[in-house]
Amino acid sequence: MGLIRLVYASEATFDEQPDEQGIEPHVGRILMASRRNNPNLDLVGGLYYGDGHFFQCLEGESDRVHDLYNRIRDDERHHKVTPLFEEPIDDYAFEDWSMKYVPLDASVAAFLKQRGLKGFDPFAFDSATTRAMVDMLRRGSDRAPAIGSADSLDTDTVSPGMERAGLIVAAVVIGVVAIAVSWFLI
Ligand code: FAD
């Protein structure tokens, strides 16, 4: 078994309700589950959601990618789940991301216009467009919900490294406060 990259497209079954920060709540929950689960399986990838369509790239050990893909396929938040391509890889393209989410709205608009496409419909992509889309996903900045909070949708660019740094800072601050309080009580 080796590493593979699997790319698929699907159509959302929910009615879009973007919040004031522009992140669809269903998509936010999907991202949180992905970021919780994928690291345990050494899976990485990228997700784009636009015009009612998902476009996702999954990378990892072949068995694990296929197991996850089968689970995703059964998710009733989307349908028409269609594999676009699958290939063996030597290296991860999304190495640092359990699931990168890129709202590439301006870039995608330019990308589609360049190719004479009216909306984001990955089912209509030819092979070159699909690969160009994966590359765009890889290069774009992540914008994703903060992990662990269903209601907290963070509009900042947050990488796993930044999240770890935030947790460390929070732990240090709590430690300092605890020492100050115990010192005060003695
Ligand atoms: P849970 O903690 O059970 O669910 C997380 C949240 O999603 C909860 O709020 C729950 O209410 C809601 N939810 C879960 N399943 C459904 C459902 N079928 N319909 C409606 N709401 C639901 N999962 C991954 O682990 N990694 C991925 O990369 C990934 N990518 C996805 C991409 C797409 C386009 C979609 C639609 C789903 C994706 N999922 C992914 C979600 C996957 O289908 C499963 O829902 C998830 O893996 C279940 O994991 P869990 O038991 O930890 O989630």
Side-chain angles (χ1 to χ4, degrees):
M1 284 298 124
L3 292 178
I4 62 159
R5 173 177 303 129
L6 188 156
V7 177
Y8 74 85
S10 64
E11 189 178 83
T13 48
F14 50 82
D15 289 330
E16 218 170 292
Q17 295 175 319
D19 66 6
E20 69 280 1
Q21 296 171 343
I23 298 178
E24 214 294 327
H26 291 92
V27 178
R29 283 191 284 275
I30 287 167
L31 277 166
M32 280 188 280
S34 306
R35 291 188 166 187
R36 195 176 55 245
N37 297 335
N38 294 1
N40 301 330
L41 299 167
D42 288 328
L43 295 174
V44 295
L47 179 72
Y48 178 77
Y49 170 75
D51 289 339
H53 291 94
F54 286 106
F55 180 96
Q56 189 174 31
C57 176
L58 297 168
E59 296 180 345
E61 280 297 328
S62 175
D63 283 354
R64 291 177 174 186
V65 170
H66 288 131
D67 286 350
L68 176 61
Y69 177 68
N70 289 336
R71 189 160 86 228
I72 291 173
R73 215 174 34 191
D74 291 341
D75 195 311
E76 66 256 21
R77 288 170 286 190
H78 64 168
H79 62 173
K80 300 184 188 169
V81 182
T82 308
L84 299 179
F85 74 85
E86 180 183 322
E87 63 187 3
I89 51 170
D90 294 325
D91 299 308
Y92 294 105
F94 296 88
E95 188 168 26
D96 296 332
W97 298 98
S98 52
M99 189 46 60
K100 186 175 187 182
Y101 176 65
V102 183
L104 296 165
D105 299 340
S107 332
V108 171
F111 175 86
L112 297 173
K113 197 171 167 201
Q114 220 173 38
R115 291 167 172 78
L117 301 168
K118 289 234 156 48
F120 184 74
D121 177 5
F123 298 120
F125 287 179
D126 60 19
S127 158
T129 308
T130 303
R131 285 176 184 280
M133 184 64 203
V134 172
D135 199 45
M136 187 180 265
L137 202 49
R138 187 180 61 75
R139 285 186 283 107
S141 298
D142 179 87
R143 194 179 115 192
I147 296 176
S149 161
D151 301 323
S152 162
L153 298 180
D154 188 350
T155 55
D156 293 329
T157 296
V158 181
S159 74
M162 288 166 72
E163 283 160 0
R164 264 197 303 278
L167 285 174
I168 291 167
V169 169
V172 169
V173 169
I174 290 167
V176 168
V177 169
I179 290 166
V181 168
S182 57
W183 183 78
F184 182 75
L185 291 175
I186 289 169

